[in-house]
Amino acid sequence: MDGSPGALLPLPEPATTRLTPRERDYLLLSILVRVQHLRFDEAQVLADALAQLSADDPDAEFARAVIAYRRGDYEAVRECLTRLDRIDPADATATARNEDRARIRSFMKARASFALTGALDDEARASLDYYLRRTPRHAGAASEH
């Protein structure tokens, strides 16, 4: 033995911990509550843990994007949304829940682009257009002539 800590004790293999759907939902709820209470550091720790436990989890990446957006870290927003587009491309024929997420993703993408550059490139314009076209009109919002 050479006296180094690694030589004295073997390093354990990484655990292959899998969350149950209930545990995962609880973790996502915990992230949401912390974001709502502006406790972004705690929310980030939980979102990063979820991402580590569930590689390429669209919900974890979406949570990370929302946290970055709420912090005003628009570069991180773009990075998260780029990863999210890779692992979970937005689908225009998706369910209502996924449609809402696609709208939110589009808005965050356009907002981050504008915040970083002061302008909207073609992708950001398309994102903003998608957001505006898919946003439901509220009752009473239409003008009565």
Side-chain angles (χ1 to χ4, degrees):
M1 300 232 156
D2 63 6
S4 66
L8 297 175
L9 298 173
L11 296 175
E13 292 296 318
T16 55
T17 305
R18 302 213 26 104
L19 295 174
T20 66
R22 187 174 180 175
E23 291 169 331
R24 187 175 163 282
D25 289 347
Y26 182 80
L27 190 51
L28 287 167
L29 179 62
S30 296
I31 293 168
L32 171 66
V33 168
R34 282 166 176 80
V35 169
Q36 288 177 328
H37 289 276
L38 308 178
R39 295 167 70 175
F40 303 125
D41 291 339
E42 293 172 23
Q44 187 70 55
V45 168
L46 294 174
D48 290 344
L50 178 59
Q52 288 293 319
L53 291 171
S54 306
D56 291 337
D57 182 345
D59 290 330
E61 204 59 48
F62 184 76
R64 293 166 95 178
V66 169
I67 293 164
Y69 179 81
R70 295 284 293 158
R71 283 184 156 163
D73 185 353
Y74 298 112
E75 190 61 47
V77 170
R78 284 179 25 170
E79 291 170 9
C80 289
L81 292 177
T82 298
R83 280 191 302 271
L84 193 54
D85 287 343
R86 180 183 49 80
I87 62 177
D88 186 36
D91 183 5
T93 62
T95 64
R97 175 182 180 262
N98 290 339
E99 169 105 8
D100 287 343
R101 283 199 175 192
R103 282 183 40 253
I104 293 166
R105 285 166 61 170
S106 294
F107 177 81
M108 288 192 301
K109 186 179 289 186
R111 179 66 181 102
S113 178
F114 187 77
L116 291 170
T117 64
L120 294 176
D121 60 13
D122 289 340
E123 184 180 9
R125 283 183 201 280
S127 294
L128 184 59
D129 181 58
Y130 178 87
Y131 172 77
L132 293 172
R133 282 185 293 111
R134 300 290 184 161
T135 299
R137 297 180 190 254
H138 298 294
S143 62
E144 297 174 349
H145 294 287

